[in-house]
Amino acid sequence: MSLANKLSEERRARLAAERLLEQKQAELQAANRKLGKHARALSDEIVETRAEVQNVLDENQRVKSDLTVANQKVEIAERRLWHSIETIQDGFAFFDSDSRMIAANNAWLGVFDGLEDVKPGVSYIEVLQFVTEEGIVNIGDMNPADWREKMLDRWQSTTPEPEVIRLWSGEYIKLIDQRGNGGDMVSLALNITETVRYEKQLTDARTKAEAASRAKSSFLANMSHEIRTPMNGVVGMADLLQDTDLTDEQQLYAETIKNSGEALLVIINDVLDYSKIEAEKLVLHEEPFDFERCIHELVMLLQPSARDKGLDLLVDYDLFLPTQFVGDRGRIRQVMTNLMGNAVKFTESGHVSIRVVGVAAEDSDMADLHVSIEDTGIGIPEDKVGHIFGEFNQVDDERNRKFEGTGLGLAISQKLIKMMGGKIWVDSVDGEGSSFGFSISLPRAEAIDPDSTRMPDGLKRALIVDDSEANRDILTRQLGVLGIETLPCKSGIDALTQLDATIDLILTTHAMREMDGMELSEAAREAGHQTPIVMMSANTSAAEQDPSRPHLHALLQKPVPRQELFAALKSIKVDTPATLEEAPTAEPVSEVQPDEPATELRAMRVLAAEDNKTNRLVYTKMVKALDIDLQFAENGIEAVELYQSFDPDIVFMDISMPQMDGKEATQKIREVEQTTGKRVPVVAMTAHAMDGDQDGILAAGLDFYLTKPLKKKAIIERISEAQPTSARDPVGDN
Ligand code: ADP
């Protein structure tokens, strides 16, 4: 090969190498560029990662410092909590679910008096062991093992009951243990020594107060006795004095002594009653009684004072309500007396009406009675209505001052009604009148008799003649429910104008302005009417004497109990004119018929035991009109002796007597009677007004019970009842 060829070949080769080199350089540059780019990306990433790491580090730092703060707070909170727990004087401990102590405050541990083993980790059983071994708790007579078992049983129950233990030091600790979620137990030991001591003081104070209250009651009982005994002399003697020859002036003095004495007794009784209720000494004595009769009796009692003022006393007793109930008749009567007495006292004109309505459930024994006493009197100012039920409270103004009273009546009535489970209230309009009401629920003592309201068939239309509108209304309603059509008449004249053959009955009142009931009956007969006439009168004895009496089918004593009115109406034979013979009349109690030939009979023997001279005198005077043989004993011992030698038909026995009291004497008499087989009636005469006396007296073998001041009528009744067939009638012709 030529050089030239070689050269050109070398050049070509060189050129080729140069191209290759260029190419490789270009590739290298491209690779470098890529590498550079990658390196930049990588360094960006590193920067980012570094920043993130820094963030994490910062975060970590913050968390760490938060944690430290939190830890510090927890420590502070724990310290404070523990400090608080340590500060409280009650013991506090908690145990884990295995009953091992986790912690306890010093108060809890203090009880163990430095016993080193009682510390966190100790088990509850061990604690109980220490308690009994060291005598920390006063377990009384209980066996230590039994006590521990009891305490452990309690501890293991899910909700342990609080337990009071007494420490050897006399302190009382109440253990309150509560189980937490995981079975942990929090145990509180409250020191209740002060409370127990306080409770004991309270109990002691209560016992003392009760003793004082009992002392007060017996003081009152004695006081009542002490006051009543001389009052018996005062009232009784004044009464007897009035029966003697006196000038008008002396009569007035005697009357005043008697009235003042009786008024004083009312006050004493009120104060006694109130104190008894306050001392919770008053017991209700429930027995069957006739409520309607009770109201009528009260109306009879109030009739004279109502009549003096010209007041009408009206009774409106629900026709379909039974009359027999079981309750404390005396106390119900006391409430009614007070309310009705007030109504009459505070009413100058118009009327006082007593309304009784009630619901007697068919399926139960109970009846809800609703009693209201309305008057047309002075009324009570609105701002005083709430005040008058308070003790010693009266509406104190000029017009009220002239009325007598203690202001205790309503307070007693309210308490009595409350004791009976009822309610009492008043509605009043000043200057117009008052309406006092009460409601009580009482068991019925009688079944409702539908027959009692069934009237004769022909009795369809009746004239109701009364000049009192309220009375006409009541009768209209009462006859209305009986199915009788009524025509109200304001006067006798009015009645005569309405009277015709369609009228089956004239129901008239006696006293009326213009023409009274008697004149009406006379006029009706003169006009040729034979219509049966039933007359209601407050003064039947006067009516009985009236020449027109034969015109009446029946004469009824006002206030008329429902049963009597029914009986009078039922006895009417409508088609045939009523005759006098058939007519039921309100006859006075029949005279006692003396026994056979008086000559063969002896006088009744009456023994009275009474230590007080004045009272013996009063008693003698009270029975002076009687045909009896009276002997006195001055104490219980004498009474028993006389009983044996005198053989009395009846014994009146004072309860409080020196040497041997009336109860003991009666017991002795009853013992003697065991051998003779006789039984003499013994009547207690007592000034004791406290409840429970009556039971005590009757339990001692006495049969009856009279309270001083004695009433002549009651003594005579008792003697008459005891009259044996061998003795003359003690009342005789008197
Ligand atoms: P007393 O009648 O003994 O004063 P009460 O407690 O029975 O005591 O009555 C208290 C007061 O209530 C009476 O003093 C009177 O002011 C007033 N009061 C009671 N009932 C009536 C009544 N029906 N009308 C007007 N005021 C009455």
Side-chain angles (χ1 to χ4, degrees):
M1 171 166 1
S2 67
L3 186 62
N5 280 352
K6 272 189 180 173
L7 276 173
S8 74
E9 251 180 42
E10 271 179 19
R11 217 180 76 215
R12 272 195 314 268
R14 202 184 69 226
L15 280 174
E18 277 174 357
R19 270 200 308 272
L20 191 66
L21 189 65
E22 269 171 22
Q23 192 188 342
K24 288 297 172 197
Q25 268 175 344
E27 279 176 9
L28 196 66
Q29 270 173 356
N32 267 346
R33 266 197 315 275
K34 210 171 163 186
L35 211 62
K37 217 166 148 190
H38 189 68
R40 262 199 317 279
L42 215 60
S43 83
D44 282 352
E45 214 170 289
I46 287 171
V47 170
E48 256 173 46
T49 309
R50 267 209 201 120
E52 274 173 17
V53 167
Q54 192 55 47
N55 266 351
V56 171
L57 281 178
D58 290 350
E59 190 79 7
N60 196 16
Q61 195 56 39
R62 214 169 40 246
V63 170
K64 259 191 190 160
S65 75
D66 282 355
L67 204 62
T68 318
V69 172
N71 269 340
Q72 280 166 353
K73 279 188 183 163
V74 168
E75 265 171 38
I76 293 171
E78 197 178 359
R79 209 172 48 238
R80 282 186 184 149
L81 180 67
W82 205 235
H83 184 67
S84 312
I85 289 173
E86 285 298 1
T87 314
I88 53 171
Q89 283 170 1
D90 299 308
F92 176 87
F94 49 105
F95 291 76
D96 64 15
S97 51
D98 293 331
S99 295
R100 293 210 167 266
M101 184 200 287
I102 301 168
N105 72 354
N106 285 332
W108 200 94
L109 296 171
V111 171
F112 297 90
D113 204 21
L115 210 68
E116 279 177 8
D117 291 332
V118 181
K119 58 175 187 221
V122 70
S123 75
Y124 190 68
I125 302 175
E126 286 164 335
V127 171
L128 291 176
Q129 196 77 32
F130 292 134
V131 163
T132 45
E133 276 169 9
E134 302 292 326
I136 291 169
V137 169
N138 182 345
I139 58 170
D141 299 336
M142 230 175 153
N143 178 312
D146 292 346
W147 185 82
R148 286 195 297 267
E149 196 180 320
K150 181 184 97 165
M151 294 300 281
L152 200 61
D153 280 353
R154 173 185 165 277
W155 178 264
Q156 281 162 346
S157 74
T158 15
T159 48
E161 285 295 312
E163 170 88 19
V164 176
I165 54 171
R166 194 166 161 212
L167 300 186
W168 62 273
S169 56
E171 285 178 309
Y172 288 89
I173 306 290
K174 183 174 191 174
L175 299 176
I176 300 175
D177 300 319
Q178 191 156 12
R179 204 166 285 287
N181 272 346
D184 284 3
M185 186 76 110
V186 177
S187 178
L188 267 182
L190 304 180
N191 191 329
I192 56 163
T193 315
E194 275 310 304
T195 319
V196 172
R197 211 166 278 157
Y198 188 59
E199 263 173 22
K200 193 171 170 312
Q201 278 171 2
L202 278 184
T203 317
D204 289 351
R206 200 172 114 190
T207 318
K208 275 191 196 140
E210 279 171 356
S213 157
R214 274 196 300 277
K216 188 178 99 181
S217 301
S218 71
F219 169 75
L220 283 172
N222 291 334
M223 275 286 289
S224 114
H225 181 253
E226 295 307 322
I227 297 171
R228 276 156 173 269
T229 305
M231 284 306 293
N232 190 31
V234 174
V235 177
M237 282 299 194
D239 202 9
L240 294 170
L241 194 61
Q242 282 186 301
D243 289 343
T244 63
D245 241 352
L246 296 180
T247 64
D248 286 352
E249 198 181 0
Q250 288 166 333
Q251 260 304 343
L252 181 71
Y253 295 160
E255 177 76 19
T256 312
I257 296 173
K258 194 181 133 201
N259 289 349
S260 311
E262 281 175 349
L264 182 56
L265 276 171
V266 170
I267 297 175
I268 295 169
N269 285 345
D270 270 2
V271 173
L272 271 171
D273 267 349
Y274 192 79
S275 318
K276 268 195 282 178
I277 299 175
E278 279 295 272
E280 293 178 5
K281 284 273 172 186
L282 192 128
V283 184
L284 296 176
H285 298 287
E286 297 183 344
E287 55 184 357
F289 76 105
D290 187 323
F291 191 35
E292 193 189 21
R293 179 181 295 267
C294 168
I295 293 172
H296 284 295
E297 281 168 7
L298 289 177
V299 169
M300 296 277 270
L301 278 178
L302 289 170
Q303 201 76 273
S305 31
R307 208 180 300 137
D308 287 349
K309 292 177 161 186
L311 295 181
D312 280 332
L313 281 183
L314 315 169
V315 179
D316 182 5
Y317 194 98
D318 186 347
L319 261 191
F320 293 110
L321 187 69
T323 60
Q324 305 283 330
F325 297 99
V326 180
D328 190 326
R329 177 181 181 276
R331 295 298 173 187
I332 292 174
R333 198 184 150 109
Q334 186 176 358
V335 173
M336 297 287 299
T337 309
N338 182 247
L339 299 183
M340 287 163 63
N342 278 350
V344 171
K345 182 162 76 170
F346 295 108
T347 305
E348 284 310 320
S349 62
H351 68 259
V352 169
S353 69
I354 298 100
R355 183 160 291 133
V356 184
V357 288
V359 194
E362 284 294 337
D363 53 347
S364 97
D365 268 359
M366 302 300 285
D368 290 326
L369 301 178
H370 187 111
V371 183
S372 58
I373 290 118
E374 279 171 30
D375 63 58
T376 51
I378 60 172
I380 302 161
E382 211 180 322
D383 58 326
K384 291 285 174 15
V385 166
H387 163 85
I388 50 164
F389 283 103
E391 52 271 26
F392 300 109
N393 287 354
Q394 296 177 312
V395 175
D396 195 16
D397 60 13
E398 278 308 311
R399 51 174 198 180
N400 205 16
R401 224 161 271 160
K402 63 181 179 199
F403 301 106
E404 285 180 356
T406 54
L408 271 179
L410 287 179
I412 295 172
S413 301
Q414 188 180 42
K415 287 193 184 287
L416 288 175
I417 292 293
K418 207 168 154 204
M419 276 182 80
M420 295 176 202
K423 271 198 247 129
I424 187 165
W425 62 87
V426 58
D427 289 319
S428 188
V429 179
D430 196 12
E432 288 185 18
S434 314
S435 168
F436 280 82
F438 67 87
S439 61
I440 42 173
S441 216
L442 295 180
R444 281 186 283 155
E446 150 207 69
I448 304 171
D449 174 13
D451 238 26
S452 65
T453 54
R454 198 163 296 143
M455 288 294 124
D457 282 347
L459 189 55
K460 296 257 184 291
R461 268 159 77 81
L463 293 183
I464 291 181
V465 197
D466 201 310
D467 55 358
S468 146
E469 189 186 344
N471 228 350
R472 281 199 305 275
D473 284 352
I474 294 175
L475 289 168
T476 301
R477 206 150 25 81
Q478 293 205 331
L479 266 61
V481 251
L482 292 176
I484 303 175
E485 185 193 339
T486 50
L487 305 170
C489 308
K490 288 202 278 294
S491 65
I493 310 280
D494 195 4
L496 287 172
T497 42
Q498 300 214 43
L499 184 59
D500 58 26
T502 65
I503 304 293
D504 307 316
L505 163 74
I506 302 174
L507 181 60
T508 180
T509 197
H510 185 187
M512 285 184 289
R513 291 176 294 270
E514 298 169 22
M515 177 186 272
D516 74 12
M518 282 302 185
E519 289 164 342
L520 166 64
S521 61
E522 186 68 47
R525 294 293 178 259
E526 267 177 26
H529 293 288
Q530 291 308 318
T531 323
I533 304 173
V534 173
M535 193 172 90
M536 299 169 295
S537 171
N539 191 353
T540 40
S541 43
E544 284 294 352
Q545 308 302 321
D546 197 290
S548 301
R549 170 65 180 90
H551 300 321
L552 304 180
H553 171 71
L555 171 61
L556 304 173
Q557 171 70 48
K558 263 187 171 180
V560 184
R562 193 169 53 149
Q563 295 304 339
E564 274 180 33
L565 178 64
F566 286 179
L569 299 185
K570 284 180 93 157
S571 68
I572 291 174
K573 291 204 176 61
V574 179
D575 292 327
T576 52
T579 59
L580 180 63
E581 286 70 43
E582 300 168 333
T585 53
E587 287 290 340
V589 187
S590 63
E591 295 278 308
V592 182
Q593 294 300 318
D595 282 340
E596 284 306 278
T599 42
E600 289 172 21
L601 299 174
R602 61 171 176 84
M604 264 186 85
R605 288 187 292 268
V606 177
L607 166 59
E610 169 65 69
D611 63 316
N612 184 295
K613 198 172 150 204
T614 316
N615 285 344
R616 281 202 298 274
L617 193 55
V618 171
Y619 187 92
T620 314
K621 298 283 182 190
M622 283 184 167
V623 297
K624 95 169 170 238
L626 300 188
D627 175 16
I628 54 167
D629 184 359
L630 172 67
Q631 291 217 15
F632 277 110
E634 296 186 16
N635 59 49
I637 299 175
E638 266 185 45
V640 181
E641 283 168 5
L642 258 178
Y643 165 75
Q644 283 163 297
S645 58
F646 179 50
D647 188 19
D649 299 312
I650 182 165
V651 179
F652 286 83
M653 185 74 85
D654 183 24
I655 293 300
S656 308
M657 285 188 294
Q659 298 185 45
M660 182 189 282
D661 72 14
K663 288 192 208 174
E664 204 183 331
T666 310
Q667 272 162 357
K668 291 260 184 301
I669 290 175
R670 296 290 179 233
E671 276 167 27
V672 175
E673 284 177 343
Q674 298 280 318
T675 54
T676 61
K678 284 188 187 170
R679 188 179 166 99
V680 66
V682 183
V683 182
M685 301 188 292
T686 170
H688 274 273
M690 293 303 278
D691 217 37
D693 290 349
Q694 183 168 355
D695 295 342
I697 286 168
L698 299 181
L702 289 106
D703 303 288
F704 304 103
Y705 182 90
L706 297 179
T707 3
K708 291 177 181 172
L710 299 174
K711 296 267 180 306
K712 197 162 145 187
K713 194 165 155 266
I715 296 181
I716 295 175
E717 262 173 29
R718 287 282 158 245
I719 296 178
S720 287
E721 276 171 22
Q723 181 197 352
T725 43
S726 56
R728 290 192 294 274
D729 177 8
V731 183
D733 297 333
N734 296 300

